[in-house]
Amino acid sequence: MSARTVRSYYHSIDEKRYDDLEELIAPDFVHERPDRTFEGRKTFVAFMRDERPRTETSHELDRLYDDGDEIAVRGRLLDENGDRLFGFVDVHTIDDGAIARIETYTD
């Protein structure tokens, strides 16, 4: 279930299904990125829906490492033409079936 939740997280963002995204993450969700930290599900979903600078992107997942409570994903963010913007590793912490935390590392 956890790996499916993580894959659904990326699909929800790429397909702009923000209600689905909100259901996948915990209310006290935290996302630590190199450029900023988001605290709270509502804050993160609002950013993804209304404030992110590029919305015509997609996540290409190369590998997923699952140890139960933590799932690491190695992938690439692609622009609207399918060109690589950057590579990333996201470490997802799962709590009660929801994504509670993500730590993002980029190249």
Side-chain angles (χ1 to χ4, degrees):
M1 183 63 163
S2 297
R4 193 164 123 195
T5 299
V6 168
R7 284 187 179 95
S8 294
Y9 164 84
Y10 295 105
H11 292 304
S12 296
I13 292 171
D14 293 347
E15 296 168 9
K16 300 176 183 71
R17 294 178 314 177
Y18 302 111
D19 290 340
D20 292 345
L21 176 62
E22 191 166 346
E23 291 179 20
L24 296 168
I25 58 180
D28 57 349
F29 173 78
V30 174
H31 187 182
E32 288 187 44
R33 298 174 15 168
D35 62 335
R36 69 184 80 189
T37 297
F38 296 97
E39 295 187 16
R41 173 170 59 197
K42 298 282 186 195
T43 300
F44 180 73
V45 173
F47 173 80
M48 296 308 280
R49 182 182 51 242
D50 303 322
E51 300 171 31
R52 65 183 164 136
R54 297 182 86 152
T55 57
E56 300 305 317
T57 59
S58 62
H59 295 82
E60 185 80 19
L61 307 184
D62 297 324
R63 180 139 315 171
L64 190 137
Y65 306 90
D66 186 351
D67 84 348
D69 293 332
E70 221 173 54
I71 297 175
V73 176
R74 185 177 68 202
R76 294 165 278 134
L77 187 68
L78 307 177
D79 68 13
E80 62 276 3
N81 298 315
D83 295 326
R84 182 183 189 276
L85 295 170
F86 58 84
F88 67 87
V89 172
D90 284 342
V91 180
H92 297 252
T93 303
I94 307 298
D95 187 22
D96 287 332
I99 300 170
R101 179 181 191 81
I102 301 173
E103 294 173 61
T104 295
Y105 304 89
T106 58
D107 62 5

